[in-house]
């Protein structure tokens, strides 16, 4: 790295033009250099398009280790291929005891723009320093500008003291009747039934529902939703945010209870909402799961994984993080994923692939070694 910098400085000093090669196509799962030639360090990320510029927010990961030492990184681009590192959007805190103290874990940040307040709002999965993945919280941060610095507001477990909006009085009573102490072993048929009936919803009712892998979706009416893995990663939850996107309205549903889905991504096309998630196998890839619904409030129906071809059963080695509806393209959707490299998380590669649709309008994602935006409809 040092040698490269010295070479560039000398080259410039002697009057050579310093032009870095442009990225001209997407190369899924290859190293992806930013405009400084460094592999893009924005993992578990998402894209915001604002006033002609794309912003890619993601986890700034160290080369070694699993905790967050820097924060959430943001990159900017005008063409989705050439990205400039715009620095740390949300920094860890050096204050001991802060929920975002250096050494915490910040994952899967997503930023949305709130038209009413003219603020950029970041939600991210937060784990407290030294507590592994047990805290299972969501963090909120806010900024007046897309590159930040974002100001950390608070972290919490969503919807404390609130039942899912589709739970009847009878469902509530049934959920309350399920007790973890009645099940010495996980994964038995009886235990699974208890999970579906809301055993963990009831367990976490007072303190709020667990919140790990997550995304944020803004619908066409500007209402925003937080979709996250809850209940020990067994159940997805979709929760409506307040108009300023900084809190919950209390309206939420459980999706695929007991289905063990994480890494949720979501998009809307031709009257249907599509949700693509992964299974739960840590950093290792697994077969993706797909759901659709006519409304965000359901009913959600499960489909086959959209991935086809060789290695489709392992999502081509990746785990989803975001679906980008490409502005200016009538039918252009890009599935973004991370190829996790747990030994060197910083070097985890990115998979971006166009989503195709069959005659019934069902998403299909085949592998491509390379592709460019003009291939999108
Ligand atoms: C899978 C999740 O999707 C990642 O974001 C990360 O939390 C890893 N698990 C940690 O094992």
């Amino acid at each position: 790295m040092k040698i490269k910098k010295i070479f560039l400085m000398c080259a410039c000093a002697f009057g050579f033009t310093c032009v870095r090669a442009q990225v001209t196509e997407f190369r899924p799962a290859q190293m992806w250099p930013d405009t400084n030639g460094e592999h893009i360090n924005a993992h578990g990320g998402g894209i915001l398009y604002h006033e002609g510029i794309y912003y890619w927010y993601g986890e700034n990961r160290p080369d070694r280790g699993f905790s967050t030492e820097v924060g959430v990184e943001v990159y900017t681009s005008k063409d989705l291929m050439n990205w400039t590192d715009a620095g740390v959007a949300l920094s860890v805190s050096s204050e001991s005891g802060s929920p975002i103290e250096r050494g915490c874990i910040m994952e899967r940040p997503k930023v949305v723009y709130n038209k009413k307040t003219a603020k950029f709002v970041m939600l991210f999965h937060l784990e407290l320093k030294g507590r592994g993945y047990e805290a299972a919280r969501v963090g909120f941060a806010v900024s007046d500008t897309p590159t930040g610095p974002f100001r950390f507001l608070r972290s919490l477990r969503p919807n404390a003291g609130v039942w899912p909006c589709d739970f009847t009085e009878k469902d509530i009573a049934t959920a309350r009747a399920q007790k973890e102490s009645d099940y010495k072993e996980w994964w038995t048929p009886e235990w699974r039934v208890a999970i579906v009936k809301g055993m963990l919803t009831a367990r976490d009712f007072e303190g709020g529902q667990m919140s790990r892998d997550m995304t944020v979706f803004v619908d066409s009416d500007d209402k925003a939703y937080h979709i996250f893995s809850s209940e020990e990663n067994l159940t997805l939850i979709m929760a409506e945010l307040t108009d300023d996107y900084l809190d919950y309205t209390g309206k939420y549903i459980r999706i695929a209870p007991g289905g063990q889905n994480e890494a949720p991504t979501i998009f809307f096309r031709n009257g249907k909402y599509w949700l693509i998630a992964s299974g739960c196998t840590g950093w290792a890839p697994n077969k993706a799961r797909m759901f659709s619904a006519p409304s965000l409030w359901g009913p959600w129906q499960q489909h086959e994984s959209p991935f086809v071809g060789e290695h489709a059963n392992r999502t081509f080695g990746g785990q989803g993080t975001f679906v980008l509806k490409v502005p200016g393209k009538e039918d252009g959707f890009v599935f973004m994923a991370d190829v996790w490299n747990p030994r060197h998380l910083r070097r985890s590669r990115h998979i971006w692939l166009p989503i195709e649709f069959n005659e019934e309008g069902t998403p299909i994602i085949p592998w491509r070694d390379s592709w460019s935006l003009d291939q999108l409809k």
Side-chain angles (χ1 to χ4, degrees):
M1 177 56 218
K2 250 188 188 161
I3 294 175
K4 203 156 74 180
K5 263 196 186 143
I6 290 168
F7 170 77
L8 280 173
M9 278 161 62
C10 294
C12 291
F14 284 105
F16 295 111
T17 327
C18 298
V19 183
R20 187 162 296 287
Q22 289 274 308
V23 177
T24 53
E25 58 183 8
F26 297 97
R27 294 191 181 159
Q30 297 301 312
M31 294 302 268
W32 191 341
D34 67 8
T35 51
N36 287 323
E38 299 288 336
H39 179 58
I40 294 172
N41 191 3
H43 309 282
I47 306 288
L48 170 74
Y49 180 67
H50 187 74
E51 295 180 349
I53 296 178
Y54 296 97
Y55 298 87
W56 181 351
Y57 302 87
E59 302 155 15
N60 177 320
R61 288 288 191 169
D63 193 45
R64 294 283 178 151
F66 297 91
S67 57
T68 303
E69 305 301 322
V70 176
V72 174
E73 197 75 12
V74 56
Y75 290 76
T76 60
S77 173
K78 285 197 166 171
D79 64 5
L80 287 171
M81 286 176 292
N82 292 279
W83 292 92
T84 299
D85 189 347
V88 183
L90 174 68
S91 175
V92 292
S93 168
S94 47
E95 195 187 310
S96 165
S98 158
I100 58 165
E101 179 180 358
R102 179 172 293 110
C104 68
I105 299 175
M106 290 179 179
E107 288 185 351
R108 298 185 177 268
K110 304 290 175 294
V111 172
V112 286
Y113 178 64
N114 188 294
K115 289 183 195 159
K116 280 194 184 151
T117 61
K119 302 268 186 219
F120 296 85
V121 177
M122 181 190 292
L123 273 74
F124 60 98
H125 167 199
L126 175 67
E127 296 294 346
L128 305 177
K129 183 176 177 182
R131 286 178 48 188
Y133 279 85
E134 73 166 30
R137 296 173 81 80
V138 57
F140 285 83
V142 73
S143 169
D144 292 328
T145 57
T147 50
F150 280 70
R151 186 164 51 88
F152 174 68
L153 296 177
R154 63 193 177 129
S155 79
L156 51 85
R157 280 190 173 186
N159 286 313
V162 186
W163 293 103
C165 62
D166 51 354
F167 265 34
T168 61
E169 286 302 318
K170 197 174 159 208
D171 292 334
I172 294 171
T174 307
R176 281 197 196 280
Q178 315 302 313
K179 299 282 175 233
E180 268 192 302
S181 50
D182 290 344
Y183 303 93
K184 288 201 188 87
E185 262 181 69
W186 279 35
W187 312 116
T188 63
E190 303 76 31
W191 174 88
R192 281 179 192 277
V193 171
I195 292 294
V196 173
K197 286 181 175 171
M199 179 164 72
L200 301 184
T201 319
R203 182 196 73 183
D204 294 335
F205 177 75
E206 270 174 32
Q209 300 300 318
M210 298 176 88
S211 176
R212 291 201 183 114
D213 278 12
M214 51 144 285
T215 193
V216 178
F217 178 72
V218 180
D219 210 349
S220 53
D221 59 1
D222 293 331
K223 274 199 175 303
Y225 302 86
H226 177 208
I227 297 112
F228 53 97
S229 283
S230 193
E231 300 179 20
E232 311 286 357
N233 288 355
L234 290 159
T235 298
L236 289 171
I237 284 181
M238 197 225 29
E240 189 179 71
L241 297 174
T242 49
D243 284 353
D244 59 8
Y245 303 169
L246 296 177
D247 207 344
Y248 296 87
T249 63
K251 190 173 174 190
Y252 76 99
I253 54 166
R254 302 162 79 218
I255 300 175
Q260 266 199 297
N261 297 297
E262 61 178 8
T265 66
I266 188 164
F267 65 101
F268 177 77
R269 178 184 183 264
N270 288 354
K272 266 192 191 169
Y273 295 86
W274 293 94
L275 197 162
I276 303 175
S278 74
C280 299
T281 50
W283 302 107
N286 55 52
K287 188 173 180 178
R289 294 95 186 273
M290 184 164 71
F291 304 84
S292 73
S295 150
L296 282 169
W297 300 107
W300 288 92
Q301 177 202 344
Q302 184 153 9
H303 300 261
E304 265 303 305
S305 157
F307 296 90
V308 291
E310 206 184 347
H311 306 307
N313 278 351
R314 295 170 62 249
T315 316
F316 307 133
Q319 185 186 34
T321 182
F322 195 72
V323 170
L324 171 67
K325 163 88 178 71
V326 180
K329 297 277 179 186
E330 211 171 291
D331 209 15
F333 297 87
V334 177
F335 181 80
M336 294 168 55
D338 300 279
V339 181
W340 295 117
N341 176 347
R343 288 185 174 197
H344 304 280
L345 277 179
R346 176 189 285 264
R347 294 185 225 173
S348 301
R349 298 182 181 199
H350 311 282
I351 292 180
W352 286 28
L353 286 169
I355 304 181
E356 298 175 15
F357 298 91
N358 70 12
E359 279 173 9
E360 284 86 50
T362 305
I364 294 175
I365 311 180
W367 177 254
R368 299 179 192 220
D369 288 335
S370 64
W371 62 280
S372 58
L373 283 178
D374 53 25
Q375 288 165 256
L376 292 181
K377 285 192 191 145

